[in-house]
Amino acid sequence: MDAGGTAGAGEDRGEGGGIRTALAGLTTRGRSFLAAGIAAAICAYVLGQSDLLRVGLLLGVLPLVCVVVLHRTRYRVAGSRRLSPGRVPAGSEARVHLRVDNVSRLPTGLLMLQDRVPYVLGPRPRFVLDRVEPGGRREVSYRVRSDLRGRYPLGPLQLRLTDPFGLCELTRSFSAHDTLTVIPRVEALPPVRLSGEAKGYGEGRQRSLALAGDDDVIPRGYRYGDDLRRVHWRSTARYGELMVRREEQPQRARCTVLLDTRGVAFEGAGPDSSFEWAVSGAASVLVHMLERGFSARLLTDTGDSVPGEGADGFAGVSQGTAEAAGLMLDTLAVIDHSDGTGLSAAYDTMRGGNEGLLVAFFGDLDEEQAAVAAKMRQRSGGALAFLLDSETWSREPADVPGPTEGSGERLRMLRESGWTAVTVPRGASVEELWRTADHERTTLTSPAGAKAAR
């Protein structure tokens, strides 16, 4: 059994454990038979009853014979596991397919198949397999589901061998296991206009750098096959070798998604907590931006990003878009609260004015951290903030009709610094707030909105 889910090489030869392990496999029925046989033998010796001695020997020897037979069983069984799919959103089901092949020349007896799964995914599945002929196979499947994101190990697969009388059971385990990744829920976001605010992000398509003139050209050495019409004669005369103009380099629109993971910024736990909403929102925005062609980047309050991403993040609308989205979702599947108390590390990681669109999911912000968040606006072309207030999320939606006083003050500070900021009420959908943020941004950037803001 291997992690890839193909026919595995893990085998059960019935050789492990020794006779002591086999004796430990006696069931309650087997131990009762053995105890009854010993008691009958002692009574027969005391009373001088030979017939009772024969009964005692039969009761005592039968479990031992079953132990020896199972211990010397030479079954050679190969098992495999296949996940469909191997990555599922929280709250969705995945199906696990198990396959057992008898690779020996002898038929097997009754087999009890059991797969080890974490309790979060549901009860431990058990199956009873009838006699498997030489070269035969049996296939079974079960479903797993989790409302909590994470990575969950499946396996190892276990086989229980039992005798026809149910006096002894021996367990054989395969060595390989698989991993099920439960990613955050991803909501489909509407294609809103995010252009017109600043450099770094626009319609979500590639744009070419304009060359203002010869003085702006960065030449390179001539290579065999270059078009002679691209020869830059001024640089050729300067360097003493043939130089050509560089090809126009495409500049891809950028988007940075900042996820606040500070433990002090969120309260509560579980799939309906504010932190899980923030993780799901970050996943939805990242996938949406990759699909629109942005170079997406995930950043946390600690300054960490997704391992393996480039300086500008992962590029979208390419052959690697699905792989990039998978890497980001895998990172978000296991992300947890950080021990940090501030956003300074994330601010220091940002390049000055070169982050493109910045979409942030903030927890509780005090006055100091709100000031740091306000300065982040200066290092981005445009900024959208989703502010989650723990006090709002700790109550029922009807109990808190609007932002609390502290949350309202932080919201005002972010908006005055140039953020398009919205509060996140409990139970709101990411799609709904995405439209709300776009409406507020459009209102602020329109002539009427700008005049009203004054």
Side-chain angles (χ1 to χ4, degrees):
M1 185 190 322
D2 59 16
T6 59
E11 297 179 355
D12 170 38
R13 302 177 182 272
E15 298 173 351
I19 194 65
R20 291 186 179 179
T21 303
L23 287 173
L26 284 173
T27 63
T28 303
R29 181 186 298 177
R31 296 176 186 274
S32 300
F33 267 63
L34 185 60
I38 295 175
I42 295 175
C43 292
Y45 176 78
V46 173
L47 300 176
Q49 297 290 331
S50 58
D51 293 337
L52 184 58
L53 179 60
R54 296 189 186 96
V55 174
L57 291 176
L58 175 62
L59 294 177
V61 170
L62 184 59
L64 299 179
V65 171
C66 293
V67 167
V68 174
V69 171
L70 285 183
H71 174 65
R72 299 183 61 84
T73 298
R74 292 297 185 266
Y75 295 152
R76 298 181 65 243
V77 180
S80 63
R81 181 191 298 104
R82 178 171 58 88
L83 300 180
S84 177
R87 181 191 292 123
V88 295
S92 300
E93 290 185 344
R95 184 169 289 274
V96 183
H97 301 269
L98 302 177
R99 172 176 158 179
V100 176
D101 294 89
N102 183 10
V103 296
S104 66
R105 298 180 179 180
L106 298 175
T108 68
L110 188 66
L111 299 178
M112 297 180 63
L113 189 65
Q114 175 178 279
D115 206 10
R116 299 183 64 179
V117 301
Y119 72 93
V120 178
L121 299 181
R124 181 170 296 182
R126 294 181 175 89
F127 306 92
V128 178
L129 303 181
D130 294 332
R131 175 181 177 275
V132 182
E133 65 279 2
R137 71 178 62 169
R138 297 290 186 270
E139 295 184 5
V140 293
S141 65
Y142 64 94
R143 294 177 296 180
V144 291
R145 179 181 181 275
S146 174
D147 292 328
L148 299 176
R149 55 186 175 82
R151 290 179 181 170
Y152 301 100
L154 300 179
L157 187 63
Q158 294 180 331
L159 285 176
R160 285 187 178 182
L161 308 178
T162 182
D163 64 279
F165 305 103
L167 302 179
C168 182
E169 289 183 356
L170 295 183
T171 301
R172 300 287 186 261
S173 296
F174 294 88
S175 58
H177 63 276
D178 292 307
T179 301
L180 175 67
T181 303
V182 180
I183 60 177
R185 296 184 181 93
V186 176
E187 295 187 28
L189 302 182
V192 299
R193 263 184 91 84
L194 298 172
S195 61
E197 289 188 82
K199 63 181 181 178
Y201 70 102
E203 295 297 327
R205 304 299 179 190
Q206 291 185 359
R207 295 174 294 177
S208 298
L209 293 175
L211 298 179
D214 288 345
D215 293 337
D216 296 327
V217 173
I218 302 177
R220 62 169 175 82
Y222 174 82
R223 299 172 186 171
Y224 178 78
D226 286 339
D227 190 349
L228 293 178
R229 289 175 295 183
R230 293 175 45 231
V231 174
H232 192 255
W233 298 109
R234 182 181 301 178
S235 299
T236 299
R238 178 180 178 182
Y239 293 103
E241 60 176 323
L242 202 59
M243 306 291 289
V244 297
R245 296 181 178 90
R246 292 180 183 271
E247 296 179 352
E248 295 181 355
Q249 300 294 326
Q251 181 178 359
R252 190 177 295 273
R254 299 189 181 96
C255 175
T256 298
V257 176
L258 173 62
L259 177 61
D260 185 3
T261 63
R262 296 172 299 140
V264 297
F266 297 92
E267 294 182 5
D272 297 327
S273 64
S274 57
F275 181 68
E276 292 302 320
W277 192 99
V279 174
S280 178
S284 302
V285 173
L286 285 169
V287 172
H288 176 71
M289 289 302 177
L290 285 173
E291 292 175 348
R292 292 197 61 196
F294 282 73
S295 291
R297 180 188 185 198
L298 174 63
L299 188 67
T300 65
D301 57 288
T302 60
D304 297 332
S305 57
V306 179
E309 71 176 13
D312 296 331
F314 290 104
V317 185
S318 64
Q319 295 180 352
T321 300
E323 181 180 355
L327 287 174
M328 289 186 172
L329 292 176
D330 287 347
T331 301
L332 290 174
V334 296
I335 201 167
D336 202 355
H337 292 294
S338 67
D339 296 330
T341 57
L343 302 172
S344 299
Y347 174 76
D348 295 338
T349 304
M350 293 182 180
R351 299 175 294 256
N354 198 30
E355 291 298 322
L357 175 64
L358 176 61
V359 182
F361 293 85
F362 292 122
D364 290 334
L365 296 176
D366 55 23
E367 186 174 353
E368 179 182 356
Q369 300 311 315
V372 175
K375 292 191 298 182
M376 291 181 182
R377 174 63 181 87
Q378 304 171 2
R379 298 195 170 187
S380 63
L384 275 67
F386 297 91
L387 192 61
L388 293 95
D389 184 11
S390 295
E391 185 176 351
T392 302
W393 279 75
S394 62
R395 303 179 185 178
E396 294 297 330
D399 296 337
V400 185
T404 59
E405 181 178 353
S407 176
E409 178 64 21
R410 306 299 176 252
L411 193 67
R412 183 189 61 80
M413 292 180 61
L414 292 178
R415 287 175 174 173
E416 289 181 351
S417 63
W419 284 83
T420 300
V422 296
T423 56
V424 181
R426 181 178 178 182
S429 67
V430 182
E431 177 188 3
E432 176 187 352
L433 292 180
W434 184 252
R435 293 183 184 274
T436 301
D438 176 64
H439 177 72
E440 292 195 9
R441 183 201 61 81
T442 304
T443 302
L444 291 175
T445 56
S446 63
K451 183 176 180 179
R454 296 191 185 95

